[in-house]
Amino acid sequence: MTWSATARGAHQPDNTAFTQQRLPAWQPLLSASIALPLFFCAGLAFIGLGLGLYYSSNGIKELEYDYTGDSDTGNCSVCAAAGQGRAPPPPCSCAWYFSLPELFQGPVYLYYELTNFYQNNRRYSVSRDDAQLSGLPSALRHPVNECAPYQLSAAGLPIAPCGAIANSLFNDSFSLWHQRLPGGLYVEVPLDRSGIAWWTDYHVKFRNPPLVNGSLALAFQGTAPPPNWRRPVYELSPDPNNTGFINQDFVVWMRTAALPTFRKLYARIRQGNYSAGLPRGAYRVNITYNYPVRAFGGHKLLIFSSISWMGGKNPFLGIAYLVVGSLCILTGFVMLIIYIRYQDQDDDDEE
């Protein structure tokens, strides 16, 4: 009996105000005089914030072009027809001509958009090797099984980078040209391709393997590129700070999207004479058409967009705040009506 009491006491919490839950507490009494003003104030705050977000989003200018090539008009349809049923499709080029009647206020961001592309598919989203992408030599030679069927090449070599995400890397390219005077020559607009990836992705998650004799190509020796790639990963860019696993376009693509229609940043226009935006005039976008989307019923678009204090164009966020604010005020009025009605009944009962 003594041993039982001792054992039971050893498992009991200390006799303190915290462990015995004797701390002073305050529990608000949600009376009508407290709850109703909270609903109305929250509703007004949400509506005010929603109006600000909605009008800021509407103030963002966008210019988009669907260059999938589904229609017979436009020279991109020739590229789409040439690549139909061929993997990978043959190299092809097309162009988009447009004019700006006034200044397109900067800074201007250039995006590409894909539709009906489910990067959130679980089998697709786990088809990668984060250890390999972090530059570990052992993972470079032995990709994880989640990368299958893009784990090993037909010759038995490890694929770097492995997985379905890397194999489906977006590989269209664009260049922008400006005709300053009618009938004059086109001048290339500088596109800033640096800093388009998330800071944590570029500086933390993605690293190249250690150089071998100062060569990145030797570091990847004994590996094979993904089947859909035309060149190995260490030749993605001539810039040594933008090639291999730390290539900005590759890092941007590897951050998978949550929805089947998504945009990814391609470049910024903020250098030279275009730091204030795109001046009025005629423009041409040269498109290197490589990426096939017709097989899965998708579309690809090119988008020029400005930004505001809230970021890019997103009317849904403002609408969501407006809806929530309206529901709060509506709920407040319903509660007010119920309160007045039952208060009158209580007064009649007391009389």
Side-chain angles (χ1 to χ4, degrees):
M1 182 66 66
T2 305
W3 178 86
S4 275
T6 304
R8 186 168 57 251
H11 291 87
Q12 289 180 351
D14 296 336
N15 187 22
T16 62
F18 178 76
T19 58
Q20 297 297 334
Q21 300 184 11
R22 295 195 301 265
L23 291 174
W26 175 73
Q27 182 177 358
L29 299 177
L30 295 178
S31 61
S33 60
I34 295 177
L36 292 177
L38 285 178
F39 271 95
F40 287 122
C41 291
L44 292 175
F46 277 117
I47 289 177
L49 184 57
L51 288 173
L53 291 172
Y54 183 76
Y55 284 108
S56 294
S57 177
N58 284 348
I60 295 175
K61 296 179 62 176
E62 282 193 351
L63 181 65
E64 65 178 40
Y65 174 67
D66 187 336
Y67 70 98
T68 309
D70 285 339
S71 62
D72 294 333
T73 59
N75 51 11
C76 285
S77 60
V78 177
C79 293
Q84 188 71 21
R86 301 176 64 180
C92 187
S93 298
C94 57
W96 168 35
Y97 294 86
F98 65 93
S99 298
L100 296 177
E102 59 183 6
L103 173 69
F104 195 104
Q105 191 67 40
V108 181
Y109 287 70
L110 177 59
Y111 299 89
Y112 62 87
E113 178 177 308
L114 297 179
T115 66
N116 204 35
F117 194 115
Y118 289 83
Q119 279 196 315
N120 58 355
N121 179 279
R122 184 184 179 277
R123 183 66 187 90
Y124 177 91
S125 62
V126 301
S127 184
R128 59 189 293 164
D129 188 346
D130 289 321
Q132 184 190 66
L133 297 174
S134 65
L136 293 179
S138 58
L140 186 67
R141 309 296 175 184
H142 303 91
V144 294
N145 294 331
E146 284 78 7
C147 286
Y150 306 107
Q151 180 184 19
L152 301 174
S153 68
L157 295 176
I159 294 177
C162 71
I165 307 177
N167 185 59
S168 61
L169 175 67
F170 184 83
N171 58 350
D172 286 359
S173 59
F174 316 99
S175 61
L176 179 62
W177 300 76
H178 178 210
Q179 188 181 41
R180 298 178 179 177
L181 298 175
L185 297 176
Y186 279 91
V187 178
E188 187 171 7
V189 179
L191 299 179
D192 186 1
R193 306 293 314 284
S194 63
I196 60 176
W198 286 30
W199 189 93
T200 51
D201 289 347
Y202 183 75
H203 291 90
V204 179
K205 294 183 178 180
F206 291 79
R207 310 303 302 166
N208 280 326
L211 301 181
V212 176
N213 296 329
S215 172
L216 186 61
L218 292 179
F220 282 97
Q221 190 175 27
T223 65
N228 286 347
W229 287 29
R230 292 191 173 98
R231 51 185 174 176
V233 65
Y234 53 84
E235 293 181 359
L236 288 179
S237 172
D239 183 1
N241 296 319
N242 189 39
T243 193
F245 292 154
I246 60 173
N247 176 261
Q248 294 275 346
D249 291 323
F250 175 71
V251 174
V252 168
W253 179 257
M254 293 299 291
R255 177 166 286 274
T256 55
L259 299 175
T261 297
F262 57 87
R263 297 179 181 181
K264 292 184 181 289
L265 183 60
Y266 183 80
R268 298 183 182 92
I269 302 173
R270 56 182 182 180
Q271 298 176 344
N273 297 328
Y274 303 92
S275 58
L278 295 177
R280 58 181 299 181
Y283 289 86
R284 183 187 78 232
V285 179
N286 291 342
I287 302 171
T288 303
Y289 195 107
N290 295 318
Y291 203 73
V293 294
R294 303 178 86 182
F296 57 86
H299 287 259
K300 47 186 182 179
L301 294 85
L302 192 59
I303 299 168
F304 291 94
S305 175
S306 59
I307 61 170
S308 68
W309 61 272
M310 59 166 288
K313 195 176 186 67
N314 184 13
F316 172 79
L317 191 60
I319 294 173
Y321 273 100
L322 289 173
V323 170
V324 173
S326 301
L327 290 176
C328 286
I329 292 180
L330 179 61
T331 304
F333 275 113
V334 171
M335 294 177 64
L336 179 62
I337 294 173
I338 296 174
Y339 170 73
I340 294 175
R341 178 181 176 183
Y342 282 94
Q343 186 183 39
D344 293 341
Q345 288 183 0
D346 293 342
D347 292 341
D348 293 339
D349 293 341
E350 290 178 0
E351 292 177 0

